[in-house]
Amino acid sequence: MKINFYSILLIVLSLNTAVAQSPRKALVEHFTQASCGPCAYYNPLIAPILERNQAKACKIAYQVSWPGVDPMNKDNPSEVQTRVNYYGVQGVPDAYLNAASQGAPTTTITDATIQSATLIPAPYTIEIQNKILPDYNSMEIAVTVTRTAAVNGSPMMRVAVCEKVIEWLAPPGNNGEKVFHHVMKKFMPNTTGTNISEIDAPGKSKTYTFVYKFDKVYNFRNLETVVFIQNDATKEIYQAENAYLDLTPNPGNDVSIKESSASGVYGDTLICGTQTSPIVKVINTGNATITNLDINYSINGGSVKTYSWTGSIKFLEDKDITLPAIDFTPVKGSNTLTVDILKVNGQDDIEPLNNKTDAVFYPTPSTTLTSTFELKPAAQPTQISFKIYDDQNQIVVEGGPFTDNLAKKYFLTLAKDKCYKISVTNGTSSLNGTYKIFDDQNNQIFQQRVIGTGTFSRYFSTYELVTGVDQPAADQNFMVYPNPVSDLLNVEIASAHSSSTLIECKNISGVSVWNQSTLLNAGKTTLSIPTSNWNSGIYIISLTTPGGKQSRKIVVQ
């Protein structure tokens, strides 16, 4: 039997095409710092190289913690350090092209080295879709990975959210740099990444979805996602890809609430008293300029107030709107401010789902009219002093500096339904004292440690607090233990059905220290959260599902 040569050739070519490897995009991981002198020299040299090769390479910049000040490192120091340890970085600047460093960044990163790196075929393709979510405080990242050839080892997919440019009015460090490119903000879900060994044959693919809640983002319009697949045993980079966040205006009148605060200060979740002036941040997400908003707001389901705002907000501009004061009855535990935008430019919003938001806040600790203030200095008693003020800014009692570290007690005679401020001044950066408030039955109302140089304030009141409880998320049972906690907090959730869930922990100032978006399955789920690197104090951990929200107070020792 004759065999047609061209038929065989076509079959072979078809088979080769089916399993052919893919064009490769290179990954640059750059370690730098805002107070590093050599960084200020090298960074402007490699920036134009990466700019003209952006179709061939993507970049992640890690702002490390040394040799000086860098506020961008403080945004996410632990994940930066993890990548420093991963490569064994000893000094900055240091650049890695597909996990290899040739010495100076200008030697590692050149047009020729990038071109050479892309000539090696890749066994995967990566597609990224970044979608802003209706709250304009988070984005959904959908990553589709397709295998195109055989792979040795266990591939890990890492998803890094970066800001493609951060510009400062003045240098944030001491090396003179004001512009920083492709700065890493967060790995999703973490630096360990996602094992994609399940994509175990050419032609197979899977889409992975993550939700990034904006945290310490300087300008969300500059967000991008960098995805790379790496073999941790060899550190080989199999493939990399990046995509910017696409922002397209919705047609017509469309506004979204980004955040709100019952106290009038974002991040401040404590309120003293029974009246407050809330603040709400709105963003124009439509193509029509916003000139008028009708806003309803209430606290704890009480009477609703309406405010009509006028002004001008253009597309993707945001505006802080301070609402007129509202009276409320504070309850023990969490209280809730509800804000709802009813009309936009006198008309219905085309996307009303992002026009309503709840902000949880807490009353300041309340004590009896006869109370006791106790302060125990630590190692340097001559460096600590305090004053307690009433709501007219008059000093009720003061003390210090001290000559010894014995506990000092001061008996307080307070007025009913008043707010008081404790102001403690510390002259040393170390832990230098602890103060407490006790009621007339000698029950401890709260305690606070004094750490760091400066003057620190905390409020308490004599308002009567009504007993209250959190509104439970539907069909959820939410437990945390141990409490107090030192090293590892366990979160146990019993759910009647599957649901998308956001678990977030904030400190008492409202700053998020940990969060995770996940899909809960029906039944019991247990998560563990490391707390050993958290500062001692009070934290609020919340569970948010489509059915509602629950919060728990935890104490980190």
Side-chain angles (χ1 to χ4, degrees):
M1 181 178 71
K2 291 186 178 180
I3 300 176
N4 189 304
F5 170 77
Y6 293 103
S7 298
I8 295 176
L9 179 61
L10 287 173
I11 292 172
V12 171
L13 289 175
S14 299
L15 290 172
N16 286 339
T17 301
V19 298
Q21 292 183 319
S22 306
R24 181 183 296 264
K25 195 167 190 177
L27 174 69
V28 173
E29 293 178 273
H30 184 51
F31 297 84
T32 182
Q33 221 256 354
S35 293
C36 155
C39 298
Y41 170 77
Y42 282 105
N43 290 348
L45 298 178
I46 65 172
I49 299 174
L50 293 169
E51 180 67 22
R52 61 177 173 260
N53 286 284
Q54 57 183 303
K56 300 177 181 178
C58 44
K59 175 190 174 185
I60 303 174
Y62 304 108
Q63 304 292 134
V64 304
S65 60
W66 78 91
V69 175
D70 191 326
M72 292 169 288
N73 172 265
K74 296 182 184 301
D75 292 340
N76 190 350
S78 61
E79 292 193 336
V80 171
Q81 188 61 42
T82 297
R83 295 304 285 177
V84 168
N85 296 341
Y86 187 87
Y87 287 114
V89 176
Q90 299 295 316
V92 288
D94 198 359
Y96 288 76
L97 175 62
N98 280 354
S101 176
Q102 303 301 322
T106 47
T107 302
T108 302
I109 310 301
T110 68
D111 293 294
T113 58
I114 292 174
Q115 174 65 19
S116 177
T118 62
L119 294 177
I120 305 171
Y124 294 97
T125 62
I126 301 172
E127 296 180 8
I128 308 169
Q129 288 187 328
N130 297 319
K131 181 177 70 175
I132 192 80
L133 293 182
D135 62 0
Y136 273 74
N137 272 326
S138 51
M139 72 174 180
E140 181 183 87
I141 305 164
V143 182
T144 301
V145 177
T146 302
R147 183 140 156 204
T148 56
V151 174
N152 294 321
S154 298
M156 299 296 294
M157 177 184 71
R158 293 187 168 95
V159 178
V161 178
C162 304
E163 278 193 71
K164 57 185 176 182
V165 61
I166 298 176
E167 298 186 62
W168 298 78
L169 295 177
N174 59 30
N175 71 355
E177 286 186 284
K178 293 191 290 186
V179 181
F180 302 83
H181 299 279
H182 308 282
V183 177
M184 189 277 292
K185 307 303 297 183
K186 181 75 177 71
F187 275 93
M188 303 299 298
N190 48 47
T191 50
T192 301
T194 303
N195 192 312
I196 59 170
S197 297
E198 59 188 318
I199 310 176
D200 55 5
K204 283 192 174 182
S205 67
K206 183 174 180 178
T207 299
Y208 302 85
T209 303
F210 309 89
V211 174
Y212 170 63
K213 184 177 181 181
F214 300 163
D215 183 30
K216 302 179 182 67
V217 172
Y218 297 84
N219 187 342
F220 75 92
R221 301 162 187 83
N222 288 328
L223 287 177
E224 68 171 324
T225 302
V226 179
V227 179
F228 59 100
I229 301 171
Q230 188 168 29
N231 182 335
D232 284 340
T234 64
K235 293 186 171 54
E236 177 185 359
I237 303 292
Y238 292 124
Q239 181 63 293
E241 189 56 86
N242 69 309
Y244 299 138
L245 175 60
D246 182 34
L247 296 165
T248 303
N250 295 322
N253 298 311
D254 187 27
V255 67
S256 173
I257 296 178
K258 290 193 69 178
E259 61 180 319
S260 61
S261 170
S263 69
V265 178
Y266 298 121
D268 183 359
T269 59
L270 289 177
I271 294 181
C272 187
T274 59
Q275 186 185 81
T276 187
S277 296
I279 191 171
V280 59
K281 185 186 293 292
V282 299
I283 182 171
N284 183 357
T285 51
N287 59 12
T289 299
I290 304 301
T291 58
N292 175 260
L293 295 172
D294 291 333
I295 305 171
N296 275 6
Y297 58 107
S298 63
I299 293 179
N300 293 336
S303 59
V304 177
K305 296 196 70 170
T306 300
Y307 176 64
S308 182
W309 173 87
T310 58
S312 178
I313 313 175
K314 296 180 181 179
F315 173 60
L316 287 189
E317 287 184 345
D318 53 43
K319 179 74 67 175
D320 291 321
I321 301 174
T322 300
L323 304 174
I326 184 172
D327 296 322
F328 68 100
T329 300
V331 302
K332 293 180 180 178
S334 62
N335 295 248
T336 302
L337 165 74
T338 300
V339 181
D340 189 7
I341 297 177
L342 298 181
K343 297 290 183 180
V344 181
N345 291 341
Q347 301 176 359
D348 292 336
D349 193 309
I350 62 172
E351 182 55 71
L353 293 178
N354 52 23
N355 288 12
K356 187 174 183 178
T357 187
D358 291 332
V360 175
F361 67 95
Y362 304 87
T364 52
S366 181
T367 189
T368 52
L369 302 186
T370 301
S371 295
T372 303
F373 173 77
E374 178 185 293
L375 186 145
K376 187 180 187 307
Q380 301 187 53
T382 60
Q383 296 295 312
I384 190 169
S385 60
F386 78 93
K387 294 178 181 179
I388 298 180
Y389 298 88
D390 64 15
D391 58 1
Q392 301 300 312
N393 207 34
Q394 298 298 309
I395 296 175
V396 175
V397 65
E398 61 183 314
F402 303 99
T403 59
D404 58 58
N405 59 5
L406 299 176
K408 325 297 181 188
K409 290 190 176 182
Y410 302 83
F411 298 102
L412 308 177
T413 300
L414 309 172
K416 182 177 174 56
D417 295 338
K418 296 292 184 180
C419 294
Y420 294 88
K421 180 177 75 172
I422 302 172
S423 182
V424 179
T425 300
N426 186 30
T428 178
S429 60
S430 59
L431 170 65
N432 201 32
T434 302
Y435 62 86
K436 305 173 183 178
I437 289 283
F438 299 90
D439 66 12
D440 57 9
Q441 300 300 311
N442 206 36
N443 298 311
Q444 181 177 303
I445 303 303
F446 70 88
Q447 73 170 17
Q448 181 71 52
R449 299 198 301 172
V450 181
I451 303 175
T453 305
T455 299
F456 308 93
S457 298
R458 180 157 184 183
Y459 289 86
F460 67 97
S461 79
T462 55
Y463 284 93
E464 183 177 352
L465 302 180
V466 178
T467 301
V469 297
D470 288 327
Q471 294 297 317
D475 301 320
Q476 303 285 350
N477 185 16
F478 175 35
M479 297 175 56
V480 293
Y481 59 90
N483 193 9
V485 62
S486 298
D487 300 312
L488 196 66
L489 179 71
N490 296 308
V491 180
E492 187 175 290
I493 307 165
S495 181
H497 53 76
S498 298
S499 64
S500 58
T501 303
L502 171 65
I503 305 170
E504 183 170 31
C505 194
K506 296 183 178 181
N507 63 23
I508 200 65
S509 298
V511 177
S512 179
V513 297
W514 185 92
N515 67 79
Q516 179 174 316
S517 297
T518 186
L519 178 65
L520 287 181
N521 295 319
K524 183 180 292 185
T525 302
T526 301
L527 302 173
S528 295
I529 305 173
T531 61
S532 57
N533 291 328
W534 297 6
N535 294 329
S536 298
I538 297 174
Y539 293 79
I540 305 299
I541 186 167
S542 60
L543 170 73
T544 304
T545 72
K549 182 174 184 177
Q550 293 184 74
S551 298
R552 300 285 184 266
K553 181 173 72 174
I554 61 172
V555 177
V556 176
Q557 296 179 330

